[in-house]
Amino acid sequence: GRRAALEKALVGFGMLPADAGAARGQWNGQGQPNGPLRLLVLGDSLTAGFGLPAGQGFAPRLEAALRARGHEVPGVDAGVSGDTSAGGLARLDWALADRPDAVLVELGGNDGLRGLPPARMRANLAAILDRLAARGLPVLLGGMLAPPNHGAEYGREFAAVFESLAQERPDVVFYPFFLDGVAADRALNQ
């Protein structure tokens, strides 16, 4: 379900190519690519596939699912297990060296697990989104929820970071909870 929802978001907001046979990296007048779209997945262990066999992480599975639906979207897996929003920001330029056409940002889970200040996470994510916007890259922001052990107030502040970033940036596609349909399913968790 999560892959289908992400695909729907990518298609609905023009991030998936309409014509997979055209040249890569060229955009039409409506802001859609004319050819295969290289999708950078900037994330943490959830995208890197921590504890999974090679090729079974989020990025390769999303690429395969999209290919099965007729969309050629080569993925660039830039997920690093244990990474925080600060780590994602620090390695953003390195990840962008692969010249993606669009970016899925999935960071913040480890900030929450460590109880880091939501304001610091917000500053890091805002800097990432601003740098991607400066390059003209379409972005899908995957939201996260804080673990309940930090209290209700922390959880509200944490969730509000993603919501406010998405509201402030109307061009960013927002998927409110990256683990929707996964978090409570024991069969999908380690």
Side-chain angles (χ1 to χ4, degrees), residues 41 90 117 152:
V41 181

Side-chain angles (χ1 to χ4, degrees), residues 3-14:
R3 277 188 231 106
L6 284 171
E7 177 186 3
K8 184 176 180 182
L10 290 168
V11 170
F13 287 89

